[in-house]
Amino acid sequence: MRITVTSFALVRQFASVAVVGNLTIYRNAMELPHCHEGKKHVPVPTGKYVVGCTDLMIGPSQEDGCFLRIYYPSQLKDTHENSTRWASWLPHEKYIEGYTTVLGIMPFFGKKLISWAFGNSYIPVVVDAEPCTEQKFPVIVFSHGLTACRTAYSFFCSDISSHGFIVVATEHRDGSACMTYSLEKEPNAKGGLVEKWIPYKPMQFEKDDMPLRQEQLQIRTRECSQALDLLYKLDEGVELEHVLYSSMNLGAFKDVMDLSTPMIAGHSFGSATLLRTLAVDKRFKIGLAMDAWMWPLKDQPELAQEIEQPLLFINMEAFQTAPNLKAMKRFTVDADHTERRVVTLKGSVHKNQVDLPFLLPLYLRRLTGSHSAIDPVLAMELNNRITMLYLRKHLGHPVDEEHSKLVEKHSEWFYEGIP
């Protein structure tokens, strides 16, 4: 008998329950990862829209262009009927080399392990699907953390998109991604473009890395603003030079975006990126910082005063330290003119907001530091529902009662504020 997990409700149906102290722990009877017709995949988005995705690389070089993946509500009606068009989680075999490097594994064994663990993994979104045109959808630019890339947060991005958002996952080409590239003309190349690969720049974490982090923040901020520039052009129907091969007609994105209230989100170093971007690019109206890594901003206390937009911090309990929270607190005080909210998920780890826990069996989650006391599906469920409740509130959209009730039901798993 083949069982496919298609929703959080079904996950909960097949879950067993344990109680530790005053917390209820859900344990999936069906061990992660999920599988559909032999395809291992991250969880299926839970909203009413089937999500489409397409990769865009715009501009002749990494300095004046941008590289990103767009997740968007599509016109399709069934995710599983289109599983032959699902996106691969590893976008290119070179990313295997990248993950091997950042995980610190010997190349020979590392490449075999990464290929085995992720090489046949999928994202249940449909590549180059036609965008839904029944309404305009609000937009979110997403900034990834250190050692990640545009696919590392695919469940977060696709799940939010399935509830009526267009989410743009930027792949930063500042040396912070596990691996990335640009397509450029080489003087000796006979026509066409060649791949210029940009590997991860390893540094001693929070030791002598500050000069590099400041340089990277400059690039990342520019790339987030360029991503928003691109969305304006797509919505206006401007003809763009798309250097990646794709069957996608970019004209299909004309008039499908609500750009009245652009939002920006990020994880870890991506949260430091969004805070800096909010300060310098006032087109962004709302910020979502997931498990923010505040070290790169520790010497910039003035930044908190330069941000006027609403901010939601969602922290993972195991990652946050006293110095990190102290720096974060600067962004939550003296903000009477807008809402600054901090939510911490109990029993959670830094990787609960990325895809890794969904793609690895339990023993590998333990080895990679992605195992948590809270069930990974429940952790992401709460993360995404709290996110959407906050965003809808500040967009002026009606409250989703289902989301609100679910968050209230599991309120023992999180607490508000900074201790």
Side-chain angles (χ1 to χ4, degrees):
M1 176 181 179
R2 176 175 57 82
I3 300 176
T4 302
V5 178
T6 58
S7 70
F8 284 122
L10 193 55
V11 169
R12 200 64 64 233
Q13 178 182 344
F14 286 92
S16 60
V17 178
V19 177
V20 177
N22 62 348
L23 297 180
T24 304
I25 296 181
Y26 292 87
R27 303 187 185 280
N28 291 337
M30 295 176 295
E31 175 64 23
L32 292 172
H34 305 320
C35 190
H36 172 71
E37 295 185 346
K39 287 185 173 182
K40 179 173 65 175
H41 62 85
V42 300
V44 175
T46 63
K48 69 176 184 178
Y49 293 101
V50 174
V51 178
C53 81
T54 194
D55 288 338
L56 293 177
M57 188 184 291
I58 304 296
S61 70
Q62 65 185 84
E63 286 78 17
D64 54 7
C66 55
F67 185 22
L68 47 82
R69 170 165 291 185
I70 302 181
Y71 297 87
Y72 53 89
S74 77
Q75 295 185 14
L76 299 174
K77 300 303 180 184
D78 189 280
T79 298
H80 291 91
E81 286 182 0
N82 293 276
S83 62
T84 58
R85 295 171 60 192
W86 283 1
S88 175
W89 192 81
L90 277 173
H92 190 285
E93 63 181 13
K94 285 285 285 186
Y95 287 77
I96 296 174
E97 179 183 321
Y99 278 115
T100 300
T101 299
V102 301
L103 290 173
I105 309 173
M106 292 177 62
F108 177 77
F109 296 105
K111 290 180 181 179
K112 289 184 177 296
L113 177 62
I114 299 300
S115 296
W116 171 80
F118 304 125
N120 191 35
S121 299
Y122 290 85
I123 309 164
V125 298
V126 183
V127 176
D128 294 345
E130 282 292 311
C132 177
T133 57
E134 66 184 35
Q135 67 178 79
K136 286 179 172 283
F137 299 100
V139 301
I140 305 171
V141 172
F142 185 86
S143 173
H144 66 73
L146 286 175
T147 74
C149 66
R150 69 189 186 280
T151 65
Y153 304 84
S154 61
F155 179 56
F156 170 80
C157 294
S158 62
D159 190 43
I160 298 296
S161 179
S162 73
H163 289 272
F165 292 83
I166 293 174
V167 185
V168 175
T170 300
E171 185 159 292
H172 294 296
R173 294 183 285 187
D174 60 337
S176 67
C178 63
M179 183 67 75
T180 187
Y181 68 100
S182 60
L183 290 171
E184 301 183 12
K185 293 181 179 179
E186 288 286 343
N188 298 325
K190 296 181 179 180
L193 301 171
V194 296
E195 296 169 347
K196 180 181 178 182
W197 287 96
I198 307 165
Y200 175 70
K201 292 181 181 178
M203 290 290 294
Q204 193 172 5
F205 189 68
E206 293 191 359
K207 297 289 185 179
D208 56 358
D209 65 346
M210 188 59 79
L212 174 62
R213 300 308 174 212
Q214 293 304 309
E215 179 184 342
Q216 289 176 324
L217 277 175
Q218 294 277 353
I219 297 171
R220 285 166 152 261
T221 300
R222 184 193 73 219
E223 289 173 333
C224 288
S225 291
Q226 288 172 331
L228 185 56
D229 292 340
L230 175 60
L231 293 181
Y232 278 104
K233 291 176 182 178
L234 287 174
D235 191 63
E236 293 168 3
V238 175
E239 188 172 340
L240 299 168
E241 182 183 2
H242 181 15
V243 297
L244 286 178
Y245 171 78
S246 173
S247 62
M248 186 73 188
N249 172 22
L250 298 184
F253 287 109
K254 184 178 181 180
D255 295 327
V256 301
M257 303 180 195
D258 178 359
L259 289 158
S260 62
T261 313
M263 294 160 278
I264 184 167
H267 175 253
S268 194
F269 195 25
S271 290
T273 303
L274 79 87
L275 291 171
R276 192 177 184 281
T277 304
L278 285 173
V280 301
D281 192 340
K282 299 301 182 182
R283 294 178 300 172
F284 289 104
K285 303 303 182 184
I286 307 170
L288 166 67
M290 302 199 310
D291 221 14
W293 179 44
M294 303 301 293
W295 165 268
L297 305 177
K298 72 182 184 70
D299 298 326
Q300 302 176 49
E302 74 285 351
L303 194 65
Q305 304 302 318
E306 297 171 3
I307 296 176
E308 302 172 349
Q309 301 94 321
L311 267 172
L312 169 63
F313 293 87
I314 303 182
N315 293 335
M316 301 293 103
E317 191 173 45
F319 180 74
Q320 294 298 323
T321 62
N324 207 65
L325 291 172
K326 182 179 179 181
M328 188 183 298
K329 199 165 188 175
R330 293 200 302 259
F331 293 85
T332 65
V333 298
D334 300 326
D336 295 337
H337 57 285
T338 189
E339 183 185 12
R340 303 287 170 82
R341 187 180 176 198
V342 181
V343 178
T344 300
L345 295 188
K346 300 177 184 178
S348 57
V349 298
H350 199 50
K351 293 183 175 68
N352 275 131
Q353 290 168 317
V354 300
D355 291 342
L356 208 60
F358 303 123
L359 298 176
L360 297 176
L362 179 60
Y363 69 94
L364 281 181
R365 295 205 298 272
R366 292 183 184 277
L367 289 174
T368 58
S370 55
H371 177 65
S372 58
I374 186 172
D375 181 88
V377 176
L378 177 60
M380 190 61 85
E381 181 177 24
L382 289 172
N383 183 89
N384 295 359
R385 298 302 178 270
I386 291 170
T387 292
M388 284 185 282
L389 287 170
Y390 189 88
L391 297 183
R392 290 187 186 281
K393 174 182 177 181
H394 288 278
L395 288 169
H397 294 180
V399 174
D400 189 310
E401 294 297 337
E402 180 184 346
H403 291 175
S404 184
K405 289 177 181 178
L406 191 145
V407 170
E408 291 176 7
K409 177 181 177 181
H410 298 292
S411 61
E412 79 269 19
W413 275 108
F414 63 88
Y415 60 85
E416 299 270 353
I418 298 176

